[in-house]
C-alpha cells in the first residue's frame, strides 16, 4: 500500500513538472505593442497546433486590459509594462481580442493558420 501511494505521488509530481515545462517552453513567440490605444500589429499570425507565447507591451502612459472571449484571457497591462500570455495550441481560425479600457480603438485578432 505504501509503495502504491509513493508511486502515485511520484506520478503526480511528474505530471505537474510536465505541464509547468510545457507552458515555460512555447513553440512560437509573438509580440504585440500597445501604443495610442491601438494594438500593433492588429493581426497576429501564428501556426496552428503550436503552443504560443504572446508578449504584450504597453507603451502608453495609461493602463490597458488585454481581453479576449475566444481565447479566454483578461489581463491588465500597466503603463510601460509587459505581460506574457501563454496560449494552448489553437485550431485554424480567427480569435478576436480588444483593449477593454479603450475598446473603440484597441482591437485585434490572432489568426491561426
Ligand atoms: Cu475586461
Amino acid at each position: 500500500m505504501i509503495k502504491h501511494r509513493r508511486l502515485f505521488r511520484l506520478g503526480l509530481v511528474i505530471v505537474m513538472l510536465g505541464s509547468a515545462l510545457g507552458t515555460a517552453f512555447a513553440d512560437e513567440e509573438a509580440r504585440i505593442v500597445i501604443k495610442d490605444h491601438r494594438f500593433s500589429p492588429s493581426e497576429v499570425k501564428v501556426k496552428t497546433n503550436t503552443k504560443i507565447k504572446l508578449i504584450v507591451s504597453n507603451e502608453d502612459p495609461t493602463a490597458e486590459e488585454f481581453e479576449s472571449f475566444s481565447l479566454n484571457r483578461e489581463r491588465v497591462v500597466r503603463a510601460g509594462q509587459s505581460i506574457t500570455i501563454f496560449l494552448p495550441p489553437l485550431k485554424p481560425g480567427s480569435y478576436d481580442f480588444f483593449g477593454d479600457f479603450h475598446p473603440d480603438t484597441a482591437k485585434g485578432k490572432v489568426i491561426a493558420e
Side-chain angles (χ1 to χ4, degrees), residues 95-109:
Y95 303 83
D96 287 358
F97 59 82
F98 60 98
D100 205 11
F101 298 161
H102 306 88
D104 292 341
T105 51
K107 297 173 200 173
K109 51 182 91 167

Side-chain angles (χ1 to χ4, degrees), residues 65-69 73-76 98-101:
E65 188 179 62
F66 178 96
E67 179 149 4
S68 172
F69 298 122
R73 292 293 185 276
E74 184 176 27
R75 295 272 305 276
V76 170
F98 60 98
D100 205 11
F101 298 161

Side-chain angles (χ1 to χ4, degrees), residues 30-44 54-60 97 105-109:
R31 287 171 186 270
I32 303 174
V33 170
I34 298 165
K35 197 161 192 198
D36 300 324
H37 311 309
R38 286 170 199 279
F39 291 110
S40 173
S42 57
E43 288 191 7
V44 183
L54 197 61
I55 300 164
V56 184
S57 304
N58 184 2
E59 294 185 0
D60 276 336
F97 59 82
T105 51
K107 297 173 200 173
K109 51 182 91 167

